[in-house]
Amino acid sequence: MPLQKKYRFKALIYKTGINFAVDVPADISSVLTVVKGYIRVKGMVNSFPFTKSLVPVKGGPYRLFVNMQTLKGAKTRAGELAEFVIEEDKTDPETEFSVPELLKQQLEQKHLFDDFTALPFYRRKEILRYLANIQTAETLEKNVKKVVGQLKKQRKSI
């Protein structure tokens, strides 16, 4: 696998609404791959690692939201200039967390597999991560039913 290019920039952390964010320079975001409007990235802020998505802003640059955990880890805060290093995150959630057999069966039986794979990357990843950490078969079954139910409900609303 070829090495991915890393992009470095410094940015002022600012508050927008209740969130903290930075604007990613257009010369960087313009060369990254956009999937469903977002750009999946991983990187570091002041040497503290993160995995996030760059969010499009109408009439503006892509925005990188910086949560409190990342701010604390990076020892920075709003109003300060921070150093960022980012690269595209091409990890597939299905390779990081396998799809449980019970979920596969339910998705195939209910013809919802395409609906599941159409979910945004991080939504699928969070579902698979959550299911991977379940300890009992009973709890897994209950949560798979919830996922299938949500997909059915989502399909009906379209």
Side-chain angles (χ1 to χ4, degrees):
M1 177 186 245
L3 290 175
Q4 292 195 104
K5 183 164 181 175
K6 294 183 180 188
Y7 301 91
R8 296 178 181 279
F9 65 97
K10 289 186 179 182
L12 186 67
I13 298 170
Y14 63 91
K15 193 168 185 178
T16 176
I18 62 169
N19 300 301
F20 299 99
V22 297
D23 293 329
V24 177
D27 62 324
I28 294 174
S29 60
S30 66
V31 296
L32 300 174
T33 306
V34 177
V35 177
K36 296 182 182 177
Y38 299 92
I39 302 171
R40 294 185 346 236
V41 295
K42 59 185 175 181
M44 295 208 251
V45 54
N46 293 348
S47 300
F48 185 80
F50 66 84
T51 303
K52 300 193 180 296
S53 288
L54 303 184
V55 178
V57 177
K58 188 175 183 177
Y62 270 83
R63 185 176 287 161
L64 173 65
F65 286 100
V66 186
N67 61 23
M68 287 304 287
Q69 178 183 358
T70 304
L71 286 173
K72 286 179 183 179
K75 296 178 175 73
T76 190
R77 60 180 177 219
E80 292 186 352
L81 196 63
E83 185 171 346
F84 292 82
V85 178
I86 62 170
E87 64 182 293
E88 284 190 66
D89 182 3
K90 297 195 180 243
T91 355
D92 182 0
E94 281 85 4
T95 59
E96 193 172 343
F97 300 102
S98 63
V99 180
E101 197 57 42
L102 181 61
L103 179 60
K104 277 184 197 175
Q105 290 170 358
Q106 290 295 310
L107 292 173
E108 287 170 2
Q109 282 177 4
K110 311 262 192 259
H111 305 287
L112 292 168
F113 208 88
D114 289 342
D115 298 73
F116 181 73
T117 57
L119 290 173
F121 170 80
Y122 283 108
R123 180 72 181 126
R124 283 193 332 265
K125 182 178 178 179
E126 279 303 302
I127 289 169
L128 295 176
R129 181 191 60 76
Y130 181 78
L131 294 176
N133 289 310
I134 290 176
Q135 302 295 316
T136 67
E138 181 183 327
T139 305
L140 179 62
E141 188 174 333
K142 181 178 89 175
N143 283 279
V144 164
K145 282 182 182 178
K146 281 183 183 178
V147 170
V148 169
Q150 289 172 354
L151 289 169
K152 279 181 176 177
K153 189 176 182 181
Q154 181 179 336
R155 179 183 271 182
K156 286 179 184 177
S157 68
I158 295 176

